């Protein structure tokens, strides 16, 4: 009889717990991330009553027990949701940045478009060919060139400002990632503590799942729950961990290039931003930069990757990333980045022009001189003590890099001068640097075409057959001049007249941020200095006609190489704009596709974990009837006990 009483009592408790869980489900049905819960019920231990005549053991149940309250959730559906969430946020970020860049380019504007302004330069040249001596035609030509350059510089500065803004977002996102992982770490400990004490931690699990969803939007990650502790472990695509075995691996920042302070995320114990020359053994890269970012490599994942891919490592020019060009070897055969090259920079003299054919005018001498100076600067910044002890340097080289200090310096040097074009964030892959390079290529071609015509150079000196200006002189007056020429690394560039610029020295380049209209042309009567007559005849238009022919020639020295083919400036610009529009459209298409996939994954996940009020109402009625039945049984047994005790 008392066993029956226990059965009734346990039934009431089980039904009561079920009603509480059902009520909790209904109360939280509209809460984001809430997973419906169910009680897990089992028979309590069976009581042996004896054996039957056939020898079978007779057992009777003693009631029902609530083993646990479980969430209804699928790890597979969570994984699918987070995978699509990561891909969606990558494409959405690329689409947003791409749209911003299209606004900067302004090709949807009705006026003041770079393409229109470039065509204005072309039309002013046509007008000049018809009236070569006309003051107004000459002034219009200079004005159209100034408007073109002003628009190009405006675009470049806005792109650079965008890079800086993206870098700020990267810094903030790394902080956000650390905060999210830290909160997951905190919840891991709280969940384990509660569940060890026998308490229900399902609401904390819901909070933790929401954080994992949020983290998946920022970075691609894999989540694993340890069945022993209930802890969530988080690993990156590269196999590194953000959270594992109760330990959080903090993300930090390292400068890519000290010149611009742009950063990349790395694993580090440092609370400060690591300098660009930090040896690789002092940090672990968060992303793998040796693979291009595309669907084939499976790394178009997460908003952080999209931000870095869009920003790139640094501003770019037509000559390459930040014009940091270096030859594969010095003219004497010493390989760049080798110990010998470093030793040469530390203890060797600056290259002597006497060792080069043509002396100081030889381009190879200029390259060697620049490389030596850059190497020397790097050594001075990273390990200046190396310059004060040449004997130690020679000893370490003779010992095969036996000196630890030299080892550290060498690693730092290589890290600071990582080959940019081989990285996934190079100007060929990164959105903003690639656009900078393309726009700068257009500007450089226009500038060189015009300057080479009016102020030609031969063998790094003035061409003796240069055209005449209206004053009857070979004035060699460039239309576009380099603003930083006097600030060049090498002092002898101050009076340099060569038009090509020296890759590796930004101030010597004809690049957008280093140009202005020649002030001499803006002075009263400055138009007279435009040298456009081959013969000296004021009506000779042969120079301007040659410029017009070169402008539209796909195979001229001023054409632009695109994927192995060369195109004249107008066509090249159209290809650049079209290619970029296709890239943005691909991102928009990716957003639509990933949004649809994410919606389907979310629907499937919600179908399993979401709360149905109709279903919960039905469960509530079932549990109410169960409670009433158990209560009635309890009353009957109570009455039977009363009869036995008080009436017999």
């Amino acid at each position: 009889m008392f066993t029956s009483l226990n059965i009734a009592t346990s039934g009431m408790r089980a039904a009561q717990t079920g009603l509480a869980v059902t009520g909790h489900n209904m109360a939280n049905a509209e809460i984001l991330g809430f997973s419906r819960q169910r009680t897990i019920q089992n028979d309590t231990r069976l009581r042996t009553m004896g054996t039957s005549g056939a020898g079978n053991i007779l057992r009777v149940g003693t009631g029902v027990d609530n083993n646990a309250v479980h969430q209804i959730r699928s790890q597979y559906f969570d994984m699918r949701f987070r995978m699509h969430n990561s891909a969606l946020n990558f494409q959405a970020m690329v689409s947003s940045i791409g749209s911003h860049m299209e606004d900067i380019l302004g090709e949807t504007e009705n006026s003041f478009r770079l393409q229109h302004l470039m065509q204005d330069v072309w039309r002013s040249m046509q007008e000049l060919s018809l009236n070569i001596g006309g003051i107004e035609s000459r002034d219009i030509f200079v004005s159209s060139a100034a408007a073109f350059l002003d628009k190009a510089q405006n675009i470049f500065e806005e792109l650079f400002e965008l890079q800086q803004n993206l870098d700020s977002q990267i810094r903030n996102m790394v902080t956000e990632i650390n905060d999210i992982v830290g909160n997951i770490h905190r919840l891991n400990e709280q969940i384990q503590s509660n569940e060890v004490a026998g308490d229900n931690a399902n609401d904390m699990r819901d909070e933790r799942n929401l954080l994992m969803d949020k983290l998946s939007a920022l970075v691609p990650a894999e989540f694993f729950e340890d069945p022993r502790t209930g802890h969530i472990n988080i690993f990156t695509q590269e196999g590194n961990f953000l959270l594992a075995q109760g330990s959080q691996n903090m993300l930090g920042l390292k400068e890519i290039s000290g010149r611009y302070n742009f950063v990349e995320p790395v694993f580090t114990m440092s609370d400060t931003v690591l300098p660009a020359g930090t040896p690789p053994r002092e940090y672990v890269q968060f992303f793998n930069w040796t693979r291009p970012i595309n669907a084939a490599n499976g790394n178009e994942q997460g908003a952080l990757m999209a931000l870095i891919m869009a920003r790139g490592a640094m501003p770019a020019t037509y000559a390459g990333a930040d014009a940091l060009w270096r030859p594969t070897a010095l003219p004497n055969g010493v390989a760049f980045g080798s110990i010998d090259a470093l030793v040469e920079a530390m203890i060797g003299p600056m290259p002597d022009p006497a060792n080069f054919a043509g002396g100081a005018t030889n381009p190879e001498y200029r390259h060697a001189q620049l490389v030596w100076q850059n190497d020397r600067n790097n050594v001075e910044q990273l390990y200046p003590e190396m310059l004060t002890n040449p004997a130690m340097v020679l000893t370490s080289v003779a010992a095969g890099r036996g000196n630890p200090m030299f080892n550290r310096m060498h690693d730092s040097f290589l890290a600071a001068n990582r080959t940019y074009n081989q990285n996934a964030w190079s100007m060929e892959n990164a959105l903003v640097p690639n656009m900078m390079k393309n726009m700068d290529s257009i500007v450089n071609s226009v500038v060189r075409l015009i300057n080479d015509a009016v102020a030609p150079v031969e063998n790094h000196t003035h061409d003796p057959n240069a055209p005449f200006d209206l004053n009857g002189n070979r004035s060699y007056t460039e239309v576009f001049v380099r603003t930083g020429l006097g600030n060049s690394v090498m002092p002898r560039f101050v009076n340099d007249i060569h038009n090509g610029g020296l890759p590796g020295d930004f101030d010597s380049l004809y690049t957008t941020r280093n140009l202005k209209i020649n002030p001499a042309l803006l002075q009263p009567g400055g138009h007279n200095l435009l040298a456009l007559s081959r013969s000296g005849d004021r009506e000779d238009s042969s120079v301007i006609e040659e410029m017009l022919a070169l402008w539209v020639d796909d195979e001229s020295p001023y054409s632009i190489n695109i994927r192995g083919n060369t195109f004249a400036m107008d066509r090249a610009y159209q290809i650049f704009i079209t290619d970029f529009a296709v890239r943005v459209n691909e991102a928009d298409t990716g957003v639509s596709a990933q949004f649809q996939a994410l919606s389907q994954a979310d629907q499937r996940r919600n179908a399993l974990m979401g709360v149905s009020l109709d279903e919960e109402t039905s469960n509530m009625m079932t549990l109410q009837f169960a409670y009433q039945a158990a209560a009635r049984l309890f009353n009957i047994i109570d009455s039977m006990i009363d009869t036995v005790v008080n009436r017999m």
Side-chain angles (χ1 to χ4, degrees):
M1 189 176 294
F2 286 103
T3 298
S4 299
L5 186 62
N6 287 335
I7 293 173
T9 303
S10 67
M12 291 174 65
R13 289 199 192 100
Q16 189 175 33
T17 301
L19 285 169
V21 171
T22 300
H24 185 68
N25 287 342
M26 297 178 74
N28 291 278
E30 301 301 323
I31 301 299
L32 179 66
F34 179 77
S35 304
R36 65 191 176 104
Q37 302 173 16
R38 283 289 177 266
T39 55
I40 305 300
Q41 298 178 346
N42 287 317
D43 294 338
T44 56
R45 65 181 181 84
L46 298 177
R47 182 177 179 185
T48 302
M49 303 299 294
T51 58
S52 67
N56 296 321
I57 298 175
L58 298 177
R59 292 188 177 93
V60 63
T62 58
V64 64
D65 189 21
N66 290 306
N67 268 4
V69 178
H70 282 187
Q71 291 178 309
I72 307 300
R73 200 171 185 106
S74 166
Q75 184 177 353
Y76 172 76
F77 286 152
D78 281 337
M79 179 193 70
R80 297 292 298 176
F81 175 88
R82 289 162 188 160
M83 180 184 70
H84 291 301
N85 192 32
S86 190
L88 171 63
N89 278 272
F90 176 92
Q91 297 293 355
M93 184 64 74
V94 172
S95 175
S96 175
I97 296 170
S99 296
H100 188 181
M101 290 174 65
E102 287 181 326
D103 291 340
I104 290 175
L105 294 176
E107 288 304 312
T108 57
E109 298 175 3
N110 293 325
S111 60
F112 205 55
R113 294 161 53 181
L114 185 64
Q115 188 172 17
H116 285 175
L117 294 171
M118 188 160 54
Q119 291 169 350
D120 286 346
V121 176
W122 160 262
R123 282 190 286 268
S124 70
M125 289 164 59
Q126 285 184 312
E127 177 64 27
L128 197 54
S129 70
L130 300 176
N131 186 17
I132 195 67
I135 295 175
E136 183 177 349
S137 297
R138 287 171 172 255
D139 285 343
I140 290 175
F141 171 66
V142 174
S143 297
S144 63
F148 166 74
L149 179 59
D150 182 66
K151 178 63 175 179
Q153 290 177 332
N154 178 262
I155 290 173
F156 202 96
E157 290 305 319
E158 289 196 48
L159 288 174
F160 182 48
E161 184 179 337
L162 175 59
Q163 277 188 303
Q164 294 172 309
N165 179 268
L166 294 176
D167 188 70
S168 296
Q169 292 185 53
I170 290 167
R171 293 169 184 263
N172 293 336
M173 193 168 288
V174 167
T175 300
E176 184 180 2
I177 290 168
N178 282 332
D179 289 344
I180 292 173
V181 176
N183 285 328
I184 293 175
H185 181 34
R186 171 183 57 81
L187 287 168
N188 276 346
E189 300 299 326
Q190 291 179 352
I191 290 169
Q192 182 181 14
S193 177
N194 280 29
E195 293 182 343
V196 166
D199 295 332
N200 185 340
N202 286 337
D203 288 346
M204 292 182 187
R205 286 178 173 271
D206 284 337
E207 183 181 351
R208 189 174 67 178
N209 278 312
L210 275 176
L211 288 172
M212 287 190 279
D213 289 348
K214 187 176 182 181
L215 183 62
S216 71
L218 305 182
V219 292
E222 296 180 353
F223 305 91
F224 302 99
E225 182 171 353
D226 187 331
R228 296 176 295 106
T229 62
H231 284 190
I232 288 293
N233 298 321
I234 308 173
F235 292 87
T236 70
Q237 281 188 329
E238 313 302 333
N240 299 308
F241 75 90
L242 286 165
L243 187 62
Q245 303 299 323
S247 176
Q248 181 178 358
N249 198 7
M250 296 295 292
L251 269 182
L253 297 168
K254 186 185 77 68
E255 291 181 350
I256 305 164
S257 166
R259 182 168 181 176
Y260 297 102
N261 298 321
F262 289 170
V263 296
E264 63 170 313
V266 295
F267 290 112
T268 174
M269 299 300 293
S270 175
D271 293 330
T272 60
V273 178
L274 300 176
T278 302
R281 61 178 170 274
E282 295 185 16
Y283 63 90
V284 175
Q285 285 189 316
F286 184 66
F287 290 119
N288 181 349
W289 298 120
T290 61
R291 296 177 300 173
I293 302 166
N294 53 43
N297 285 320
N299 52 5
E300 290 187 337
Q301 298 280 323
L304 180 60
M305 174 64 87
L307 284 172
I308 297 174
M309 187 276 293
R311 183 208 62 191
M314 58 189 75
T317 71
Y318 72 91
D322 196 30
L324 293 179
W325 178 91
R326 284 170 176 265
T328 56
L330 302 180
N332 60 6
V334 175
F336 160 68
S338 68
I339 293 177
D340 289 340
L342 287 173
V343 172
E344 190 168 292
M346 286 186 283
I347 64 176
M350 182 181 289
D352 187 346
N355 296 328
F356 296 81
T361 62
N362 189 319
E364 288 189 356
Y365 165 70
R366 298 176 187 277
H367 290 321
Q369 197 173 40
L370 180 64
V371 168
W372 185 92
Q373 186 66 60
N374 284 346
D375 285 347
R376 183 85 174 186
N377 290 342
N378 274 314
V379 173
E380 289 176 346
Q381 293 173 12
L382 295 170
Y383 288 94
E385 64 269 27
M386 301 295 290
L387 296 176
T388 64
N389 194 349
M392 181 268 289
V393 174
L394 292 175
T395 301
S396 67
V397 174
R401 290 183 59 175
N403 187 291
M405 185 183 296
F406 187 86
N407 241 345
R408 291 197 305 274
M409 189 275 295
H410 184 253
D411 288 344
S412 300
F413 180 79
L414 293 181
N417 293 281
R418 187 168 34 180
T419 304
Y420 178 76
N421 286 330
Q422 292 179 356
N423 285 323
W425 55 19
S426 75
M427 64 183 177
E428 299 303 329
N429 296 302
L431 289 181
V432 178
N434 183 251
M435 182 58 69
M436 285 176 161
K437 172 181 175 288
N438 292 341
M439 294 296 101
D440 203 43
S441 296
I442 298 294
V443 172
N444 176 260
S445 292
V446 171
V447 168
R448 287 191 300 113
L449 186 151
I450 293 174
N451 278 359
D452 285 354
V454 299
V457 171
E458 183 177 335
N459 295 325
H460 303 283
T461 61
H462 288 309
D463 186 345
N465 297 315
F468 296 90
D469 60 19
L470 283 184
N471 297 323
N473 301 318
R474 290 189 168 99
S475 63
Y476 302 100
T477 304
E478 294 180 321
V479 174
F480 303 92
V481 294
R482 290 162 286 183
T483 58
L485 197 57
N487 301 319
S488 174
V489 171
M490 308 313 301
R492 54 182 51 81
F493 281 158
V494 172
N495 299 313
D496 201 331
I497 59 171
H498 72 90
N499 285 332
L502 176 62
D505 183 9
F506 177 85
D507 291 324
S508 75
L509 300 178
Y510 283 107
T511 181
T512 305
R513 298 185 81 202
N514 189 39
L515 288 169
K516 64 181 179 181
I517 297 297
N518 194 332
L521 297 177
L522 304 177
Q523 299 299 318
H527 51 262
N528 291 328
L529 298 176
L530 281 174
L532 298 172
S533 172
R534 185 73 64 196
S535 63
D537 185 347
R538 295 173 63 94
E539 300 303 318
D540 179 9
S541 62
S542 57
V543 172
I544 203 73
E545 289 171 358
E546 291 171 7
M547 293 166 62
L548 288 169
L550 289 170
W551 188 287
V552 296
D553 185 357
D554 286 340
E555 298 181 358
S556 80
Y558 310 103
S559 62
I560 297 171
N561 189 296
I562 303 176
R563 296 185 291 274
N565 296 309
T566 57
F567 299 91
M569 291 168 287
D570 278 341
R571 292 186 62 193
Y573 183 80
Q574 292 170 6
I575 292 172
F576 290 150
I577 296 301
T578 301
D579 285 351
F580 185 73
V582 169
R583 179 69 182 90
V584 176
N585 185 65
E586 288 175 349
D588 293 340
T589 302
V591 169
S592 299
Q594 290 298 335
F595 181 79
Q596 183 176 0
L598 181 68
S599 297
Q600 291 176 353
D602 194 35
Q603 289 172 6
R604 291 174 181 173
R605 189 169 73 160
N606 284 332
L608 178 68
M609 61 176 267
V611 176
S612 168
L613 293 179
D614 290 341
E615 182 181 351
E616 297 300 327
T617 301
S618 175
N619 289 339
M620 181 172 287
M621 293 177 64
T622 299
L623 290 166
Q624 284 177 332
F625 289 140
Y627 184 88
Q628 291 170 0
R632 186 167 183 179
L633 176 60
F634 184 90
N635 289 334
I636 291 172
I637 295 171
D638 181 62
S639 177
M640 291 173 63
I641 293 174
D642 180 66
T643 299
V644 170
V645 173
N646 297 316
R647 300 185 186 182
M648 293 183 64

